[in-house]
Amino acid sequence: MSIWSSLYTGRSGLTAHGDAINVVGDNIANVSTVGFKSGSANFNDVLGRRTGGGQNMGAGVQMGSVSQAFGQGSFIQSGGALDYAIQGAGFFEVVGEHDGVENSYYTRNGRFSLSADGLVVNEQGLRLQGYPVDANGDVAGPSGDITISGQSSPVATTTADLDVNLNPTPDPAGPFVFDPLDPHATSDYQSSMTVYDSLGNAHDVQMFFVNNGGGAWEWHAMVDGSELNGGTPGQLTEIADGTLGFDTDGNLDTETLNASSADFVGATPGQAIQFDFGDAITTDGGTGAGSTQHAGASTIESVSQNGREPGELVDIITADDGTVSGLYSNGETEPMAKLAVASFRSPENLQRQGDQLWVASRDSGQALLGEAGTSGRGSIASNALEGSNVDLGDELVTLIAYQRAFQANARTVTTADEMLTEVANLKR
């Protein structure tokens, strides 16, 4: 009976080590697979019949489980704008259908791309998950699909900041009484700036300044009538006006905005622009910094406004905290999302699904989503991918060990067979 048992004992060794060689072979085959995590075979002994002394005899071995190793793989610089690697613990969450099953999946393979409808997806079309953000890049809602906008929306100008120096010496041809029908001949200084309407169209605004003496000035903002509803082409039309006052040191003391409204053609009517010439002492309770009335030529020192034209997406930039921003042709950079990173109580117990995907199990615990770099989650490396964590040298040594064990178990079978042959020959 024991000779027959030794055959099955040897067979169990052949089966277990054959399965173990398969695990090693899987590791070696995936040595170049992005985001792959190696496995290792675990063996369990098998008990047979009880001996006369009350102890159970061994009846061979079985491969009990495959342990997953989630150690860090080396980074591969890829240059892809949507290629990501996690430096440290955590997984990307992707959602969609894989092998006919709709689910949330987790992966370390950070090779993503844009779908036709602007969604960030992996190679299997599963949608990468992240958080919506506000203009400052702060999380502004629950996690969901990440969408990259191919165009930056236009913004209408609502504020315009100008720092000017106005020559206190009156124009010899003055003093002037401003005439909107002939502004160039009835003003002391002229300049221009660009503003944008709600469609993103740029408009050239002519600025006229009139010296009323004693540090008092008036200003007028005008555009060509062809750009306004009801305007006369070729004739400047006023869209805003106000006054400036300077103290005896030439510092800005007062500023007023009398009116501001522009009905640009095709755009939202009644566009108001808040013109600001500095930190006025009396009006703003400020320091007088900004516009000045100092000797010398009148000139515009600086101009800024908050409007912009639409822009096309030219690049995607991702920070190490996972904030994804779009760089547009109009020079604007807009934060659009923040990558979500999932952590698990026991990642070794995640269920492998193929294509470098895992799903949560009872033993792994549920996914804990959060921002990169928080609560032990790793940071994001952009333009890079995480390679396989397989150590080829270790795998080859392990393969040799399993091969020797397989050969030894084969010898057990052949020895038992020879013994049974001897038993069969006893009757002769």
Side-chain angles (χ1 to χ4, degrees), residues 191-404:
S191 187
S192 65
M193 64 176 297
T194 300
V195 300
Y196 297 90
D197 63 27
S198 60
L199 300 176
N201 295 314
H203 300 276
D204 183 41
V205 177
Q206 301 291 313
M207 301 294 298
F208 297 93
F209 297 86
V210 180
N211 188 348
N212 291 327
W217 291 74
E218 61 184 86
W219 61 268
H220 303 267
M222 309 185 78
V223 299
D224 191 281
S226 63
E227 301 179 36
L228 298 170
N229 292 321
T232 302
Q235 179 178 314
L236 291 176
T237 302
E238 189 168 273
I239 63 170
D241 72 296
T243 64
L244 301 175
F246 299 92
D247 64 16
T248 55
D249 292 323
N251 299 315
L252 183 63
D253 184 43
T254 62
E255 60 176 331
T256 64
L257 174 64
N258 296 330
S260 177
S261 180
D263 293 342
F264 292 115
V265 175
T268 302
Q271 179 175 335
I273 301 174
Q274 181 70 41
F275 289 87
D276 190 346
F277 292 86
D279 192 21
I281 297 171
T282 299
T283 303
D284 302 325
T287 63
S291 295
T292 57
Q293 184 187 246
H294 292 157
S298 295
T299 183
I300 291 284
E301 303 287 352
S302 68
V303 175
S304 64
Q305 53 82 39
N306 66 341
R308 70 182 185 215
E309 62 186 348
E312 297 298 324
L313 183 68
V314 296
D315 200 4
I316 297 172
I317 303 169
T318 305
D320 58 7
D321 67 352
T323 300
V324 182
S325 301
L327 178 62
Y328 294 90
S329 58
N330 58 6
E332 295 295 323
T333 300
E334 293 184 14
M336 290 177 286
K338 183 169 284 190
L339 300 180
V341 177
S343 62
F344 292 89
R345 182 184 69 244
S346 178
E348 295 78 11
N349 289 309
L350 290 169
Q351 294 296 311
R352 184 178 171 188
Q353 302 296 302
D355 293 321
Q356 300 97 279
L357 299 173
W358 288 266
V359 295
S361 69
R362 182 185 63 184
D363 293 331
S364 71
Q366 294 301 305
L368 304 174
L369 284 183
E371 300 175 43
T374 63
S375 301
R377 299 176 184 87
S379 60
I380 301 297
S382 60
N383 308 112
L385 297 168
E386 182 186 8
S388 169
N389 69 347
V390 173
D391 186 313
L392 189 56
D394 287 347
E395 296 301 325
L396 291 175
V397 170
T398 302
L399 180 63
I400 292 171
Y402 288 163
Q403 181 185 19
R404 293 291 181 263

Side-chain angles (χ1 to χ4, degrees), residues 51-195:
T51 66
Q55 292 292 331
N56 288 322
M57 291 184 63
V61 67
Q62 62 182 0
M63 196 179 80
S65 63
V66 177
S67 296
Q68 301 179 97
F70 284 95
Q72 185 82 53
S74 58
F75 283 6
I76 306 166
Q77 297 303 315
S78 66
L82 290 173
D83 285 348
Y84 301 127
I86 299 176
Q87 177 66 55
F91 298 81
F92 299 108
E93 182 182 34
V94 291
V95 173
E97 185 176 302
H98 181 258
D99 287 343
V101 179
E102 183 81 19
N103 205 345
S104 293
Y105 297 91
Y106 304 92
T107 184
R108 296 279 294 196
N109 181 1
R111 180 176 281 132
F112 298 99
S113 61
L114 280 181
S115 68
D117 50 3
L119 293 172
V120 180
V121 297
N122 71 353
E123 295 168 301
Q124 289 74 45
L126 304 178
R127 305 180 302 278
L128 179 62
Q129 300 297 286
Y131 299 102
V133 295
D134 59 22
N136 298 318
D138 297 324
V139 172
S143 64
D145 297 345
I146 295 178
T147 302
I148 303 296
S149 175
Q151 187 178 66
S152 172
S153 300
V155 174
T157 299
T158 58
T159 62
D161 299 327
L162 299 90
D163 287 349
V164 300
N165 180 63
L166 299 173
N167 186 357
T169 303
D171 190 308
F176 299 111
V177 176
F178 184 72
D179 182 0
L181 297 179
D182 192 12
H184 293 280
T186 58
S187 60
D188 292 83
Y189 175 61
Q190 305 91 40
S191 187
S192 65
M193 64 176 297
T194 300
V195 300

